[in-house]
Amino acid sequence: MNEQIKSCFDHSNVSDKRDTLTAVTYSGAEDERSEDDMKTKRTKVSLLAPLIQNIRELDKKQKEVTDMETLLKDDDASLRELAELERESCLQDIQDLRQKILELLIPEAEVDMSDLVLEVTAGVGGQEAMLFTAEMFDMYEGFAQYHGWSFDVLEHMSSDLGGLRHASASISGPHSYKKMKFEAGVHRVQRVPKTEKQGRMHTSTMTVAVLPQPTEISFTINPKDLRIETKRASGAGGQHVNTTDSAVRIVHLPTGLVAECQQERSQLKNREKAMKALTAKLYNMKLEEETSKRYNQRKIQVGTKGRSEKIRTYNYAQDRVTDHRISMTVHDVRGFLLGEDLLNEMNSSLQEFSDQEMLMELLEEGSQEES
């Protein structure tokens, strides 16, 4: 990591930062510079300040570790013990500072600040795939609760045995899309189904789609491009089912994308939820087009790029969950499916790996610009 960070400051973008600092601290004829230009440079400096502070703190901690190495050779046993404790503390601080610096070097994508629409769909495996899909949907609801996010079900198509054919939910909260985007893709489960009489292991799959939810300001839809249909709700629901036209289906005519909702008794509420889902789908399509223009094979397969890839395997016989993108395995499948510490730990590792890949891509772009 040190080499990556050092390299980043050796490239052309660092000279730009140095010029910015020089311009702002220049004591000469400031009136010769335009006020807008100086304001822009001051803004850049204010953004660089946390990065510079963390780098200086990192240098300080590394020097402290070097000093501790000398004390570890001291004849006094108690002094050596204190030095070892201090050294371990410094090493942990260094690790934390490296991660902070890495995060500061990576430009924050606007989409990472979005809320999202989560979609889960059963894949191969029949009823077993639907049961697994229901467990995954529950896991993400638990993950939302773990982070204090809201979780609003938009669509819920259940199977006869209590599984899920398809479901969607709107998730809102700080950094919700930034964390959830790593879940997009094909998830595979390997276990003996409850309906299996001979004890044979089955492999089933389900697919997760994570669609960023844009704000009304950043993304609008022409009402003339929509066809809105109403119908009677179907499925379990008592007297309400098949008595009122509350279910809503919205078709975006130019693209053919469809969103529907029948979760609420109110047609108006169902229309609002269906519109939210449709907006997320259209926004995601727009992002896919933009992303494909600068697609890099080295980059981690996350978000919209990973839907056709088997990103993770849940193996019950070995009680393990393996993420194939970073070759990380954690044990305790049932604990993982709670959507708490174990899922969050894997999510953090994916974020760190993604940040490193992004940093390397930025360095390569800087090298190409220089040449």
Side-chain angles (χ1 to χ4, degrees):
M1 187 71 67
N2 273 339
E3 290 302 315
Q4 290 177 329
I5 293 170
K6 181 177 181 298
S7 297
C8 186
F9 283 93
D10 287 341
H11 283 83
S12 59
N13 60 336
V14 180
S15 62
D16 293 338
K17 294 170 183 175
R18 189 183 302 112
D19 292 343
T20 298
L21 290 169
T22 303
V24 175
T25 56
Y26 175 64
S27 59
E30 186 172 320
D31 55 342
E32 294 179 3
R33 301 172 183 276
S34 71
E35 187 176 337
D36 290 342
D37 186 45
M38 289 302 299
K39 185 177 180 180
T40 300
K41 285 178 167 33
R42 287 194 184 96
T43 301
K44 288 183 179 180
V45 170
S46 66
L47 294 173
L48 285 172
L51 178 61
I52 294 168
Q53 182 181 346
N54 278 282
I55 290 174
R56 286 173 176 167
E57 186 65 23
L58 178 61
D59 287 340
K60 179 182 174 183
K61 289 294 179 181
Q62 288 174 330
K63 289 176 182 176
E64 289 180 16
V65 169
T66 302
D67 294 340
M68 290 303 114
E69 297 291 345
T70 303
L71 293 176
L72 286 171
K73 300 175 183 177
D74 197 276
D75 295 334
D76 189 333
S78 59
L79 186 60
R80 289 200 306 272
E81 185 177 350
L82 287 172
E84 180 60 34
L85 291 173
E86 185 65 25
R87 179 176 175 275
E88 290 178 4
S89 176
C90 283
L91 288 174
Q92 182 58 52
D93 289 341
I94 287 172
Q95 182 64 28
D96 294 341
L97 285 165
R98 285 174 175 171
Q99 185 57 36
K100 285 182 182 178
I101 292 170
L102 180 60
E103 291 171 0
L104 288 167
L105 285 169
I106 304 301
E108 189 84 67
E110 182 181 347
V111 68
D112 281 345
M113 307 308 291
S114 303
D115 295 330
L116 66 110
V117 169
L118 168 74
E119 291 188 346
V120 297
T121 306
V124 297
Q127 289 291 341
E128 171 62 11
M130 296 179 198
L131 290 169
F132 179 52
T133 302
E135 292 176 68
M136 292 292 290
F137 196 60
D138 289 343
M139 179 182 79
Y140 292 128
E141 184 172 10
F143 196 53
Q145 292 175 354
Y146 178 84
H147 286 286
W149 304 330
S150 67
F151 189 93
D152 185 20
V153 177
L154 302 177
E155 194 176 1
H156 197 276
M157 298 174 60
S158 57
S159 68
D160 297 336
L161 297 181
L164 272 181
R165 299 176 186 276
H166 176 79
S168 63
S170 173
I171 301 178
S172 303
H175 302 291
S176 53
Y177 177 76
K178 186 174 183 178
K179 288 183 174 292
M180 283 294 298
K181 67 182 179 182
F182 297 106
E183 296 303 305
V186 176
H187 296 247
R188 176 174 62 180
V189 63
Q190 296 175 323
R191 64 184 178 188
V192 179
K194 295 178 181 178
T195 55
E196 172 58 55
K197 298 179 181 179
Q198 299 182 18
R200 291 176 298 185
M201 180 83 72
H202 285 227
T203 298
S204 304
T205 64
M206 58 82 63
T207 303
V208 175
V210 179
L211 314 176
Q213 182 70 60
T215 63
E216 293 182 6
I217 298 174
S218 65
F219 191 79
T220 56
I221 298 174
N222 189 340
K224 294 180 181 179
D225 290 337
L226 302 178
R227 184 174 73 239
I228 302 176
E229 305 167 352
T230 58
K231 60 180 181 178
R232 292 183 179 180
S234 60
Q239 294 181 347
H240 170 63
V241 174
N242 295 324
T243 60
T244 59
D245 293 336
S246 61
V248 175
R249 184 174 187 264
I250 303 178
V251 181
H252 185 250
L253 299 174
T255 62
L257 287 175
V258 178
E260 53 187 291
C261 182
Q262 61 176 25
Q263 291 302 115
E264 305 291 339
R265 288 177 176 270
S266 163
Q267 184 184 113
L268 181 60
K269 289 183 178 179
N270 280 331
R271 178 171 172 164
E272 289 175 354
K273 287 189 172 185
M275 195 65 196
K276 180 179 286 189
L278 180 65
T279 303
K281 289 180 179 181
L282 287 168
Y283 185 56
N284 192 63
M285 179 182 289
K286 176 184 174 184
L287 287 176
E288 281 184 326
E289 291 174 357
E290 293 176 358
T291 304
S292 64
K293 294 176 183 177
R294 59 188 304 272
Y295 176 70
N296 190 321
Q297 290 289 345
R298 289 179 56 256
K299 213 166 181 183
I300 186 173
Q301 299 293 296
V302 295
T304 56
K305 303 193 201 81
R307 292 193 199 163
S308 62
E309 301 288 332
K310 290 183 177 65
I311 63 169
R312 196 176 294 157
T313 295
Y314 304 73
N315 188 302
Y316 275 71
Q318 299 175 12
D319 196 26
R320 65 172 174 84
V321 179
T322 299
D323 194 289
H324 306 296
R325 295 165 294 183
I326 55 175
S327 301
M328 178 179 178
T329 295
V330 298
H331 294 277
D332 185 7
V333 176
R334 298 188 186 280
F336 191 92
L337 289 172
L338 293 175
E340 297 175 352
D341 291 335
L342 292 177
L343 175 55
N344 194 57
E345 177 187 340
M346 182 168 284
N347 185 274
S348 296
S349 297
L350 284 161
Q351 181 68 62
E352 183 176 352
F353 183 76
S354 179
D355 286 346
Q356 291 178 14
E357 289 287 289
M358 177 66 77
L359 179 59
M360 294 306 298
E361 184 172 319
L362 290 172
L363 290 174
E364 287 178 3
E365 288 177 0
S367 298
Q368 290 172 3
E369 288 176 4
E370 281 188 341
S371 58

